[in-house]
Amino acid sequence: MEFLKRLGIEDKNFGCCTGTVWNNTTDQGELKIYSPATGEFIASVYQASENDLNNLLDVTDKAFAYWRTIPAPKRGEIVRQIANKLREFKKDLGTLVSFEMGKSLQEGMGEVQEMIDICDFAVGQSRQLYGFTMQSERPMHRMYDQYHPLGTVCTISAFNFPVAVWSWNAMIAAVCGDVNIWKPSSKVPLSAIACQNILKDVLIENNLPEGIFTLIIGKGSTIGEKILNEKRIPLISVTGSTNVGRHAAEVIAKRFGRAILELGGNNAIIMTPDADLKMAMPAVVFGAVGTAGQRCTTTRRLIVHESIYDKVKDALIKAYSGLKIGNPLDEKNHVGPLIDKTAVKDFTNALKLVQEEGGKIVYGGTVLEGEQYKSGSYVVPAIVEAENHYKIVQEETFAPILYLIKYFGEVKNAIELQNSVVQGLSSSIFTNNMREAELFLSAEGSDCGIANVNIGTSGAEIGGAFGGEKETGGGRESGSDAWKTYMRRQTNTINFGTKLPLAQGIKFDI
């Protein structure tokens, strides 16, 4: 395929790069990557070794000593050039993301655009790494705080966003003066290799040293564990399941490292009697079936007031019946495949369990067969009438299952249902009632890191800090002041007088 050639993807690829130089390790196993869209073989990747990681860390240590001395706006200029390279390769990279991961071509292109957007944001941020000045209680003293580069930052990304999550971390960290190690999901390593190939020209053109943007593809049991335990990596951003994040947090905390955790979501949309149903329906459907339900912000629960419940259910079934399921590279299709057959099994098992608990499938839930679905990863998105307390409803199933839940009485009852899960990522309410909307956004309202009014749960913009509460991990990435996580904070006090007064009025004369 021509787009693979343009992105520098070979039939066989190496799994570690220090910036522009690739390793030659071939004895750690070979990942063979197949497209969930068609089932066809794309390419393979030789996994990296622990020696490769040790070498990478030596290189990043040296690179950090250099990179932290470069003025932040100059670092921003490098990120600006990376954004331009991404614009140049947007179509090819978006196509690869779609083909390797299975999300629709529009979503693949959108993911690359998100990378471009965060680069642009980071360029501006490079001139706004602000500290604050405080008033000292001591005469002729000045106090302020400032932020310094932290060191080597590692991004461990998940399969559902093969490239965007890396860019959220890497580009902000880069303007902060940090250097980057990227460990992508072993399910979608080719997209990461393509990104490394895209940015290498910027590194060469600016005569930058190896180690500023690096990549390692390897086993979680060896490479992943070594990264978690590595004291030379002060900050690790982990995107994945709650179980993965819990283990990572424990290991990193033992060595007093920092962790940004972006974990599971069990996101709900509340629809009150004052909702604009015409506007709400597209948000619900995209939120539930976009990326085949494989977003951490996917809409998994729809909590509807009993007075409009039947109307909403009928509208949903009608909308779902119009969905086109098929090859994600065909822009006429709305829904592509799940990532693999394990995900399909999780989908069918969840539907079995919810029925055993008393749930009722009102639409979809089947696995598609036939020549055009030969990869075995295509399913019909399901709508299930359920109750919030069901065990399976309390869990996150990474698949297109929408639980339809009825609420009675005031909106506070719906908010209580929404909050009654262990996850706390994204949430939404559809209402034209100002009091309902403001209650939802108040301290008595949604307990999620993201709370929206009259828009869905997915599709967050990069300008806001992204992340959630409770078992979602508490991490924040991307916009707002998330940049502070990638730096070490320092409080400074300067005495420009001739005396040494002590704070709190303490006297110590000698």
Side-chain angles (χ1 to χ4, degrees):
M1 297 180 181
E2 290 301 317
F3 71 89
L4 294 175
K5 292 180 181 179
R6 289 191 291 269
L7 292 169
I9 304 298
E10 307 288 345
D11 290 338
K12 294 180 181 293
N13 303 271
F14 292 111
C16 183
C17 183
T18 58
T20 66
V21 179
W22 293 86
N23 69 343
N24 58 5
T25 300
T26 60
D27 62 355
Q28 297 297 304
E30 187 176 358
L31 295 171
K32 295 185 177 181
I33 308 303
Y34 296 84
S35 171
T38 63
E40 65 188 287
F41 175 74
I42 309 175
S44 67
V45 181
Y46 292 113
Q47 296 186 101
S49 67
E50 290 190 49
N51 285 337
D52 290 323
L53 178 58
N54 289 331
N55 176 62
L56 201 64
L57 288 164
D58 290 340
V59 174
T60 58
D61 284 347
K62 293 177 182 177
F64 176 61
Y66 163 79
W67 190 238
R68 65 185 175 185
T69 68
I70 304 302
K74 298 295 185 183
R75 300 191 293 250
E77 167 59 18
I78 301 303
V79 172
R80 186 192 69 80
Q81 292 178 40
I82 292 173
N84 287 340
K85 286 292 182 182
L86 288 170
R87 288 181 172 94
E88 183 180 340
F89 287 94
K90 177 180 176 179
K91 184 176 181 180
D92 288 336
L93 183 57
T95 301
L96 175 57
V97 167
S98 177
F99 192 56
E100 184 181 28
M101 184 268 153
K103 62 176 60 179
S104 73
L105 184 59
Q106 290 190 50
E107 290 184 82
M109 296 297 180
E111 185 168 345
V112 181
Q113 185 59 51
E114 194 168 351
M115 300 175 77
I116 295 167
D117 291 344
I118 197 66
C119 285
D120 290 348
F121 182 92
V123 173
Q125 189 71 74
S126 70
R127 294 181 181 271
Q128 300 178 84
L129 304 178
Y130 296 137
F132 294 94
T133 299
M134 292 78 74
Q135 296 300 312
S136 174
E137 66 184 62
R138 290 168 285 185
M140 305 190 78
H141 281 61
R142 180 165 69 89
M143 294 178 63
Y144 68 96
D145 62 17
Q146 62 178 329
Y147 293 83
H148 294 301
L150 188 61
T152 298
V153 171
C154 179
T155 303
I156 300 176
S157 59
F159 76 86
N160 58 331
F161 279 85
V163 293
V165 170
W166 164 74
S167 67
W168 293 357
N169 289 276
M171 298 307 150
I172 298 296
V175 299
C176 289
D178 301 323
V179 296
N180 296 267
I181 295 175
W182 182 11
K183 184 186 181 301
S185 166
S186 294
K187 295 182 179 182
V188 289
L190 301 178
S191 295
I193 291 171
C195 288
Q196 196 72 31
N197 289 335
I198 289 170
L199 65 82
K200 78 176 188 307
D201 288 342
V202 174
L203 303 178
I204 294 170
E205 290 163 7
N206 289 274
N207 197 30
L208 293 173
E210 298 291 303
I212 297 174
F213 294 100
T214 68
L215 173 68
I216 190 162
I217 298 162
K219 299 172 184 175
S221 59
T222 54
I223 301 300
E225 284 301 310
K226 185 171 176 60
I227 287 172
L228 296 181
N229 284 279
E230 180 53 65
K231 291 184 177 181
R232 287 186 286 175
I233 305 176
L235 172 64
I236 303 176
S237 172
V238 180
T239 301
S241 68
T242 297
N243 287 337
V244 168
R246 181 178 287 111
H247 171 70
E250 291 172 354
V251 175
I252 296 167
K254 285 180 181 178
R255 61 176 177 85
F256 295 99
R258 298 187 193 180
I260 299 173
L261 302 176
E262 299 291 355
L263 311 176
N266 197 345
N267 316 294
I269 292 178
I270 295 171
M271 292 180 66
T272 81
D274 286 313
D276 182 334
L277 298 186
K278 186 176 181 181
M279 184 168 64
M281 280 302 140
V284 173
V285 176
F286 176 73
V289 308
T291 323
Q294 297 171 116
R295 290 186 178 215
C296 51
T297 55
T298 289
T299 305
R300 309 207 178 277
R301 296 175 294 143
L302 183 60
I303 303 171
V304 185
H305 192 268
E306 56 94 15
S307 66
I308 59 171
Y309 182 87
D310 289 336
K311 186 177 182 180
V312 169
K313 182 174 74 171
D314 291 343
L316 271 176
I317 292 171
K318 181 179 179 181
Y320 269 55
S321 65
L323 292 174
K324 295 179 180 178
I325 305 169
N327 192 319
L329 294 182
D330 184 345
E331 294 190 65
K332 295 178 182 178
N333 292 325
H334 301 103
V335 183
L338 291 169
I339 186 64
D340 54 28
K341 291 181 181 179
T342 299
V344 173
K345 185 176 181 180
D346 290 342
F347 172 78
T348 56
N349 284 346
L351 292 175
K352 179 183 177 182
L353 289 171
V354 76
Q355 290 179 94
E356 290 175 354
E357 292 188 82
K360 179 184 177 184
I361 298 175
V362 296
Y363 187 86
T366 56
V367 180
L368 292 170
E369 299 177 347
E371 180 62 23
Q372 63 176 317
Y373 308 118
K374 62 184 178 181
S375 69
S377 298
Y378 289 89
V379 302
V380 180
I383 304 170
V384 183
E385 290 186 299
E387 295 184 22
N388 200 66
H389 63 84
Y390 291 172
K391 184 179 178 181
I392 191 62
V393 175
Q394 291 284 309
E395 299 174 3
E396 179 192 41
T397 302
F398 226 52
I401 301 173
L402 178 64
Y403 297 115
L404 194 55
I405 299 166
K406 189 181 296 186
Y407 84 91
F408 303 86
E410 299 178 80
V411 72
K412 66 179 182 180
N413 298 327
I415 294 172
E416 183 178 351
L417 287 173
Q418 180 212 274
N419 292 347
S420 295
V421 293
V422 295
Q423 308 88 354
L425 180 52
S426 187
S427 59
S428 175
I429 188 171
F430 275 85
T431 180
N432 287 328
N433 183 314
M434 182 191 70
R435 290 177 176 173
E436 290 180 336
E438 290 295 336
L439 178 64
F440 180 76
L441 299 177
S442 75
E444 298 176 81
S446 169
D447 64 0
C448 295
I450 299 169
N452 298 326
V453 176
N454 293 332
I455 62 171
T457 60
S458 63
E461 295 183 40
I462 57 91
F466 181 89
E469 301 299 323
K470 301 188 290 189
E471 289 193 6
T472 300
R476 292 297 185 274
E477 297 170 333
S478 193
S480 186
D481 65 347
W483 62 270
K484 293 179 180 179
T485 308
Y486 303 91
M487 305 195 81
R488 58 181 178 88
R489 186 170 185 163
Q490 185 179 80
T491 300
N492 305 112
T493 306
I494 301 169
N495 179 357
F496 57 93
T498 59
K499 297 181 179 179
L500 187 69
L502 300 177
Q504 294 83 49
I506 295 172
K507 301 293 184 182
F508 188 75
D509 296 327
I510 56 174

